[in-house]
Amino acid sequence: MKWYADTPTRRVAQLFADLLTVVWVVGWVLIGRFVHEMVSALALPGEKMDAAGTSLSERMLEAAGRVDDLPLVKDGIAAPFTGAAKAADQLAAAGEAQVEAVASIAIGLAIAVVVVPVLMWMLVYVPLRWRFIRRATSTQRFLKAGTGADLLALRAISTQPLHKLVKISDDPVRAWRDGDPDVVAKLAALELRSVGLKG
């Protein structure tokens, strides 16, 4: 496969565009990572609520156990401590749910921040690059086979602007049909330059 043009100007432009694409993708990945970290910081209150609820629940259950162990104390006296422990468990669960929700939002936002601009760039850039690669590779294949000049001349006649064709011949179609070697060579060279190859 022919990845880059032979002509220096076009090759440099292609290399620059490829490098720009890599920088673009890496840049948006870094921005997405930053967004993820910033949104994840919002989970801190939920983490504290979870930790506080868990700690409070453990202490209430511990207190309930100690009250139950006291002699001469009725069995029902530990019930408020157990109830408080259940309420603390609910607080911890709410904190955990908040942490999970923030984590999901952080991941979703980070992916969106990366995917949208990268995908938009790739939808434009990849088809252009692929078109060059396909065209340059097939053109090079014809050149190596030794049958390319005539075909390239015909392609030049059908695709190149008229003002460029007139500079080569007043009637390039007739000259091509007659097999004029000078005109065919010039037309083929014109088409090669437009592809970015050297003959």
Side-chain angles (χ1 to χ4, degrees):
M1 292 187 91
K2 184 76 176 166
W3 290 93
Y4 294 99
D6 292 335
T7 52
T9 307
R10 191 161 183 182
R11 188 183 320 120
V12 167
Q14 289 171 335
L15 286 167
F16 178 75
D18 287 351
L19 180 64
L20 183 66
T21 299
V22 171
V23 170
W24 180 263
V25 172
V26 170
W28 281 107
V29 167
L30 292 174
I31 291 170
R33 194 171 159 190
F34 174 74
V35 167
H36 181 269
E37 288 172 4
M38 294 300 290
V39 175
S40 293
L42 297 175
L44 188 60
E47 290 170 1
K48 287 183 177 179
M49 194 180 347
D50 183 14
T54 303
S55 176
L56 182 60
S57 174
E58 289 170 358
R59 289 183 182 167
M60 287 296 124
L61 288 174
E62 185 183 335
R66 287 186 181 174
V67 168
D68 263 348
D69 292 342
L70 290 174
L72 305 172
V73 175
K74 294 183 180 177
D75 288 341
I77 199 128
F81 294 105
T82 307
K86 287 180 182 176
D89 284 339
Q90 289 176 346
L91 179 68
E96 189 178 342
Q98 183 181 346
V99 169
E100 288 173 5
V102 169
S104 297
I105 292 169
I107 290 170
L109 277 175
I111 289 171
V113 163
V114 174
V115 167
V116 171
V118 168
L119 187 62
M120 286 175 63
W121 174 262
M122 291 301 183
L123 285 174
V124 174
Y125 183 69
V126 170
L128 290 173
R129 274 302 270 137
W130 179 245
R131 189 173 70 188
F132 166 81
I133 291 167
R134 204 176 66 201
R135 189 173 169 197
T137 303
S138 61
T139 302
Q140 196 173 44
R141 194 177 304 129
F142 279 115
L143 285 174
K144 286 180 180 175
T147 58
D150 223 24
L151 187 61
L152 285 171
L154 178 60
R155 184 166 175 81
I157 290 169
S158 62
T159 61
Q160 295 298 319
L162 290 175
H163 70 275
K164 289 185 178 180
L165 295 175
V166 171
K167 289 179 183 176
I168 293 171
S169 169
D170 290 336
D171 192 353
V173 176
R174 183 181 297 268
W176 175 78
R177 281 186 190 149
D178 294 342
D180 185 330
D182 185 46
V183 172
V184 168
K186 286 180 180 176
L187 287 170
L190 177 65
E191 182 62 18
L192 279 174
R193 280 194 305 276
S194 76
V195 174
L197 300 177
K198 291 180 179 176

